[in-house]
Each structure stands twice: as C-alpha cells, then as structure tokens.
Amino acid sequence: MATFLSAGDVARIVHEIGMRSFWLRLVDYLRTDFTAWDGFDKSPRFASHSPGGVIELMPANDAAAFAFKYVNGHPGNTRLGLQTVVAFGALADVATGYPVLLADMTLGTAFRTAATSVLAARHLARPESRTMALIGLGAQSEFQASAFQAILGVDRLRVFDVDPAATEKFVRNMAGAGLRLTRCANAREAALDADIVTTITADKKRATILTRDMVAPGAHINGVGGDCPGKTELARDLLLDAEIFVEYAPQTRIEGDIQQLPADHPVTELHEVIAGRRKGRAAASSITVFDSVGFAIEDFSVLRLLRDLAIETGVGRDIDLVAAPGNPKDLFSLLRSGAAGETRAARRDELLPVD
C-alpha cells in the first residue's frame, strides 16, 4: 500500500497544521537535507525540451529513501486556461524498492521553491532585510511573499508585473496578510532600495529583467525564473559584480542565469554555506545572487515532509499502487484468478452514478 495525496489533501494538511508551521517545518527539512548533501546520489535533471516548454524528471535519494518528481514548464499554457507548471512525485523505500507515497507536487513545487529562496536569504541577505521587490506575479509570487513574511519577517513588498491582471490577483490573494504593498510601474521602480529582489518571470527566452544599475549596494537577489537553457532574467554585468550561490553547479551552469558566464566562473553551492564550510555574504555592501533553478533534493525534502504530515494528520488515502500477489513469486496468478479484472470492475462501479 502507498499513501496518495491529491492537491486538495496537500492544502488540507497545510490548513490542519497552519501555514506558518508548514513553512517552518519545510525550511527545517530542507536545512537538514542540505546539511546531509554528501549523502545523496545527485545528477542534473533529465529534461525534454520542445518549442513551447520543457518536461523534466528529477530524482534524488539517500540511503533510506528515493524520490522523483515529474514536472513541466510551459509558459504559453495560461493562454489555454492551463497552469504553467504542474507536477507529481513519489517517495519510495530504498530497502525494498516499494513506493510509500504518491503525491501532487504542483503545490509542493511552489512551496519548496519559496522555502529554498528563504533558506538561501537567511544565510545571504543582510539580517535587517525587511523590504522585498517581487518582479513577476504569477503562480509562485504569493508563496514567496508568504514564506519571506513567515520566516524572515519581510513586511514590505514592492511589486510589478507586465500583466495588470496578475497584479490584481496577487493583491487580492495577499489581502489581510499584514503586508504593506506598493504597486510599481516597472521593474526598476520595484527594485529601488529593496533589501531583497526576487525575480519570478516565466517567458522561455533570454530576458534582462534586472540590470546592475537597478540594484542597491547590499541587496540580495533571488533569480527564480531563469531555470532552463536559453531562459535568463539577470544581466551579465550584474552577475559579474555579484557573489553567486547555486544549488548544484553542474545543473545551474546549464539552466541558470550563470549560463551567460564562462564555465569556470566561481560560484558557491548553497549547501556548503548552510553546513558552515564556506562563507556567505562577504560584506554588508556586497550584492549576493541565489541563482535558483530548483534541484531534486528540494523535492525529496517536501515529499518527506508530506509523508510525515500525512501520518500525523491522517490526511490522504491508501491505494494499491503496485501489484501484490499472495505469492510474490507468482505474479501471473493475478491474471489467472481474474483479480486484476475484478479490481478494475470494482473501480468502474465506484464511478457509476447512484440513483
């Protein structure tokens, strides 16, 4: 048996334990797994690119558990009434190979992306940072605002999106959150004097959202939107003048904003800073960049958390995800006995309308 969590189940778990508690738990799980970085098998994700987007598989495992996530990125989907990003993931027991969790990861991806941004900012931004610019107000924006408020106490947001409807959506969703919002006319105005600048744009193209002259001394930048080959947000001159931190350098050099730089340009992997092996910000006036592309260990963390919270809250349901013959050496017996057909018929009956 494996536990299944739908998107509704994930939302229910968050409501059961409280949003701030969920953020705190998730950041702690991420910190634990980043600290144990060397104990994971790691590789850049498998990516299948098409003109309209990308489909990716992201695996990671330690000695106890194996996780993977299926995720897409199709910026044009919104014109079809579809989401830009959807995902699902699984967690399995390494000792037996059996899956223990199958879960929607559309919400999970949004949560872990924002939580990783906060984890990076906790180590890289100036401690007194309270004002954040959000440039790009799509599906990820509210998660970033919520996480930074809950974990770092950010209470002032300067926001901009090229789509006025996206701005209205963001303002509506964040009403009552206790944040002071300033709507800005462009990205330059949003970034003006911000302690933290987070860029979350979606177009699959080389773009320049943020340039060096737009950023104040001492600012920390989360570059979240540049996350596949040919897709960037940060100007090259800004990167060259910044201290750059990444998740997993072999992947980020292909997908992140640093794809614009030479392959040997110095960067620091975030786990080294979290574990205390490398220094974070060098000086109060330094510009730090977290070139965030998303890495599979982050999905491992959120799937591990969802498994534990499903047990704690009782949310989710058991499903027969894999075959389970009475005799493990006799798989064919499921066909001979008609058990597989009976199972399908029972499930079909469940879907029939009841008078």
Side-chain angles (χ1 to χ4, degrees), residues 115-162:
T116 305
S117 295
V118 168
L119 183 62
R122 175 187 276 175
H123 290 273
L124 302 176
R126 289 172 294 142
E128 68 275 14
S129 298
R130 295 295 180 270
T131 300
M132 180 164 74
L134 275 179
I135 302 170
L137 300 175
Q140 172 63 200
S141 58
E142 293 90 348
F143 292 86
Q144 293 279 336
S146 175
F148 272 87
Q149 181 188 33
I151 305 298
L152 295 185
V154 167
D155 57 7
R156 297 181 295 275
L157 295 179
R158 303 172 60 83
V159 302
F160 170 70
D161 194 287
V162 295

Side-chain angles (χ1 to χ4, degrees), residues 10-71:
V10 175
R12 183 179 164 196
I13 285 173
V14 174
H15 285 296
E16 291 247 349
I17 71 167
M19 182 75 83
R20 186 168 189 274
S21 178
F22 187 84
W23 284 124
L24 289 168
R25 292 278 294 271
L26 179 52
V27 170
D28 186 57
Y29 274 52
L30 285 164
R31 181 193 56 77
T32 296
D33 290 336
F34 269 70
T35 302
W37 191 267
D38 293 339
F40 282 88
D41 288 335
K42 299 174 289 291
S43 64
R45 57 187 155 207
F46 168 80
S48 176
H49 293 276
S50 63
V54 62
I55 294 173
E56 300 167 338
L57 288 176
M58 302 174 65
N61 71 277
D62 63 8
F66 177 95
F68 77 85
K69 184 178 76 174
Y70 167 100
V71 63

Side-chain angles (χ1 to χ4, degrees), residues 133 274 278 316 342:
I274 293 170
R278 295 284 298 272
E342 290 169 7

